[in-house]
Amino acid sequence: QVQLAESGGGSVQSGGSLRLTCRASGYRYPRSCIGWFRQVPGKEREGVAVIGSSDGTVYGDFVKGRFTISRDNVETTSYLQMDGLEPEDTATYYCAVAVRRACLETLKENLFTFWGPGTQVTVST
């Protein structure tokens, strides 16, 4: 059974930084796609960043170079470094993994099978 656990969320002021961590257990495909998504109540979930099997990355347009996704294959862990946070970044952030031996990075949610419970990020002015 695949389980994901996000951590690192919290409250910061505008311009601050946070580093989110996603740890996967029971995961058979450590080189598959790992993604970060976010959702605000009343709005659709949107893709933040995805890292693919060859460590290629893709980011949502709103990221504008502020976030960096990475992975640690030994521990099947993904990180999302978020700098220059703005109040508009306030959301619940979810990590997700695809069940494929190899995949190309994409922000399409239907690629991802397992999702974590989410971690809250709050950015104040």
Side-chain angles (χ1 to χ4, degrees), residues 4 19 21 31-32 34 50 55 60 64 69 74 90 98 107 117-118:
L4 304 178
R19 189 192 196 204
T21 300
R31 294 298 303 178
S32 190
I34 300 178
V50 172
D55 291 337
K64 298 178 182 178
I69 187 172
V74 175
T90 295
L107 293 173

Side-chain angles (χ1 to χ4, degrees), residues 10-69:
S11 298
V12 296
Q13 291 189 327
S14 182
S17 298
L18 285 173
R19 189 192 196 204
L20 304 184
T21 300
C22 173
R23 288 188 170 84
S25 60
Y27 191 41
R28 296 173 56 190
Y29 306 111
R31 294 298 303 178
S32 190
C33 290
I34 300 178
W36 288 92
F37 298 79
R38 71 184 188 182
Q39 188 170 26
V40 176
K43 294 187 177 181
E44 291 188 355
R45 188 163 54 193
E46 59 183 350
V48 179
V50 172
I51 185 166
S53 299
S54 299
D55 291 337
T57 58
V58 62
Y59 295 90
D61 291 341
F62 58 86
V63 171
K64 298 178 182 178
R66 299 178 297 135
F67 300 172
T68 303
I69 187 172

Side-chain angles (χ1 to χ4, degrees), residues 5-9 19-23 36 77-80 95 119:
E6 304 98 338
S7 61
R19 189 192 196 204
L20 304 184
T21 300
C22 173
R23 288 188 170 84
W36 288 92
T77 301
S78 175
Y79 307 98
L80 183 67
C95 71
T119 185

